[in-house]
Amino acid sequence: MSKSSGLGDNLYISGFDASGDISALGNVGGGPAALDFTAINKSAMERQGGVRDGRIEFTAFFNHVAAGIGTHEKLSALPTSDVILTYCRGTNVGDPAACLVSKQINYDGTRGNDGAFTFAVSAQANGYGLGWGRQLTAGLRTDTAATQGASIDTTAATSFGAQAYVQVIGFTGTDVTVKIQDSADNVTYADVPGLTFTQITAAPTAERIATAPTTTIRQYLRAVTTTTGGFTNLTFSVVVVKNESQVTF
């Protein structure tokens, strides 16, 4: 993979596109906590992995919108419920993305000597660790009718299941269902059991779903939309995390 800058990235927060108000990402990390198992007969630290963790930390510009729909209004509310974040590393189908079910624990403002006013935000994992996956939409995708999205090639099938995240930024219509399909040959597709999101009837919203841990996920994946009552606009992002080894949540 060639080196690249961080330009053109996106950040979605529970169905809200905050990308235009984010100055920088400070920490996108996860993995198991390091537990100290150092015995008295060791000459160096000995550690084992503990509970899976994760965090996304970023700096936001102050952007107050009188109508109450700006990034400041979203973050300053300091919600006590779970916040689902999606950080898109680029905005092409297949690009990597980090997703996190989290608690937003702060919104700390700093005024620089130059007059710049920014806020530091830390979102800490709640219940699940950080998930690095691949985008099944090119950043935000807009469908105006039921659509079969472009596919990605994940190289090979695995039998360790998957997780998926949807961020719904805008919706007009009666209903729409977003689901993930897989294929062995990039021709014949079928729904992946467990990777159909809750039917969407309003926006904004976000959701994490998961398969059983032994589900076979075939080589090719795509995001599709279907409807029973009709819709004229759906703006959304989908990320899939295909497990390469056995996982436990």
Side-chain angles (χ1 to χ4, degrees), residues 90-229:
T91 53
N92 299 298
V93 174
D95 280 353
C99 299
L100 187 70
V101 177
S102 66
K103 296 294 187 183
Q104 179 191 333
I105 63 173
N106 70 323
Y107 187 58
D108 301 335
T110 299
R111 184 193 183 281
N113 291 334
D114 60 357
F117 194 24
T118 60
F119 288 85
V121 179
S122 178
Q124 301 290 323
N126 188 42
Y128 312 98
L130 183 80
W132 274 104
R134 295 178 65 186
Q135 299 176 51
L136 295 183
T137 56
L140 292 176
R141 183 174 114 191
T142 299
D143 288 0
T144 57
T147 301
Q148 297 177 350
S151 65
I152 64 169
D153 183 351
T154 66
T155 307
T158 61
S159 297
F160 306 111
Q163 300 75 245
Y165 298 79
V166 68
Q167 297 274 355
V168 181
I169 309 300
F171 175 71
T172 303
T174 301
D175 67 81
V176 64
T177 298
V178 178
K179 56 187 177 179
I180 294 174
Q181 297 181 334
D182 70 351
S183 171
D185 57 9
N186 204 23
V187 176
T188 303
Y189 278 83
D191 297 350
V192 178
L195 293 190
T196 296
F197 294 98
T198 302
Q199 186 182 64
I200 298 163
T201 58
T205 187
E207 185 181 11
R208 176 195 183 272
I209 56 176
T211 70
T214 57
T215 299
T216 296
I217 310 295
R218 295 183 292 177
Q219 180 172 349
Y220 299 92
L221 295 171
R222 69 182 185 184
V224 305
T225 53
T226 63
T227 183
T228 56

Side-chain angles (χ1 to χ4, degrees), residues 11-14 56 58 83-87 98-100 102 123 167:
L11 181 67
Y12 315 129
I13 306 171
S14 292
I56 296 180
F58 57 93
V83 175
I84 298 179
L85 279 78
T86 299
Y87 166 56
C99 299
L100 187 70
S102 66
Q167 297 274 355

Side-chain angles (χ1 to χ4, degrees), residues 32-51:
L35 303 180
D36 184 0
F37 280 81
T38 309
I40 61 173
N41 63 343
K42 301 297 181 182
S43 58
M45 297 295 294
E46 186 176 23
R47 296 183 175 91
Q48 295 185 30
V51 176

Side-chain angles (χ1 to χ4, degrees), residues 235-248:
T235 302
F236 68 113
S237 163
V238 175
V239 174
V240 62
V241 181
K242 183 178 178 180
N243 300 322
E244 301 298 328
S245 61
Q246 186 175 0
V247 298
T248 302

